[in-house]
Amino acid sequence: MRDTIRFEVEGPVATVVLDRPEVHNAYSTRMRDELHEVFSHCRDDDELRVVVIRAEGRSFCAGADLDEFGTAPSPFEARRIRFARDVWGTLRAIPVPVIAVLHGHAIGSGLELALLATLRIAARSTRLRMPEAQLGLLPAACGTQTLTRLAGPQTAGGLLLLGRDLDAGAARAAGLLDLVVDDDELAATTARVVDALAARPRPILTRLTRLLKLQDELSPHAAERAERLHTR
């Protein structure tokens, strides 16, 4: 039994639901372990064509669970566990499109989780924030890189250094969100996008997903050469 998330697979679609609504789905060590488990399943399931990450309650994710700060036995042990259960690397290794469905607040680790998805759909009331610097911390899940690549250094600097708060409209204009819809249209819009992706051949989806990720790993010229190889 899982305590912090729900996970189901229906045909070619896997759905991961953050399920700690009483604390706005704060990211705990238990959630880390459970996400690592289900993301590993998604990475290895050859039948999947799309993965959806959404959340119960009033927010997508309010960031790290502050009640757990300082509870690790040592920074060295915490770092060892971080890389032994690499949630973020496992999420990035999923070979099909991952859709993050946002509402309420997406803060800190919650925003970083969404930024590692392939597509982000958000309710109009969604707010994004990266408060780590104000807490004397660095983002733990590639946030300095994903923010900069998606939105550019100016927007990333405002979020990371100043703790700027972005509404969904501003985040969409900055390139952090792919679709912004009225709150009561979020579920229906997500279903349409999921159905469209699930109807496509898996080989096309895996190739496109891989090519979209190349910009994080290669120079523009090397990525262009790789794209040509994938299209032969």
Side-chain angles (χ1 to χ4, degrees), residues 4 18-32 35 55-56 58-69 88 102-114 127-132 135 137-141:
T4 68
L18 309 184
D19 195 18
R20 300 185 74 204
E22 70 282 359
V23 289
H24 295 271
N25 298 306
Y27 184 84
S28 63
T29 55
R30 178 68 173 171
M31 183 179 283
R32 174 202 65 199
L35 286 175
E56 290 291 352
R58 293 179 291 169
S59 290
F60 178 72
C61 177
D65 191 336
L66 298 182
D67 289 340
E68 294 188 346
F69 274 30
W88 317 114
L102 310 183
H103 72 284
H105 293 283
I107 299 173
S109 297
L111 176 54
E112 292 185 275
L113 173 63
R127 311 287 300 194
L128 311 182
R129 189 157 57 90
M130 291 285 286
E132 282 87 343
L135 299 172
L137 302 169
L138 288 173

Side-chain angles (χ1 to χ4, degrees), residues 79-184:
R79 185 174 179 83
R80 184 192 69 76
I81 294 171
R82 156 73 174 85
F83 288 105
R85 299 171 190 163
D86 185 6
V87 174
W88 317 114
T90 306
L91 171 57
R92 282 187 51 78
I94 294 173
V96 295
V98 177
I99 301 174
V101 184
L102 310 183
H103 72 284
H105 293 283
I107 299 173
S109 297
L111 176 54
E112 292 185 275
L113 173 63
L115 294 175
L116 288 169
T118 318
L119 298 170
R120 284 156 294 281
I121 304 172
R124 204 168 301 280
S125 61
T126 306
R127 311 287 300 194
L128 311 182
R129 189 157 57 90
M130 291 285 286
E132 282 87 343
Q134 284 67 50
L135 299 172
L137 302 169
L138 288 173
C142 310
T144 60
Q145 302 307 300
T146 51
L147 276 171
T148 305
R149 288 175 181 140
L150 288 168
Q154 185 172 16
T155 297
L159 282 161
L160 292 164
L161 296 171
L162 304 177
R164 183 184 174 195
D165 183 289
L166 287 185
D167 62 30
R172 172 71 182 89
L176 295 175
L177 300 174
D178 297 284
L179 290 173
V180 174
V181 299
D182 291 339
D183 289 39
D184 59 1

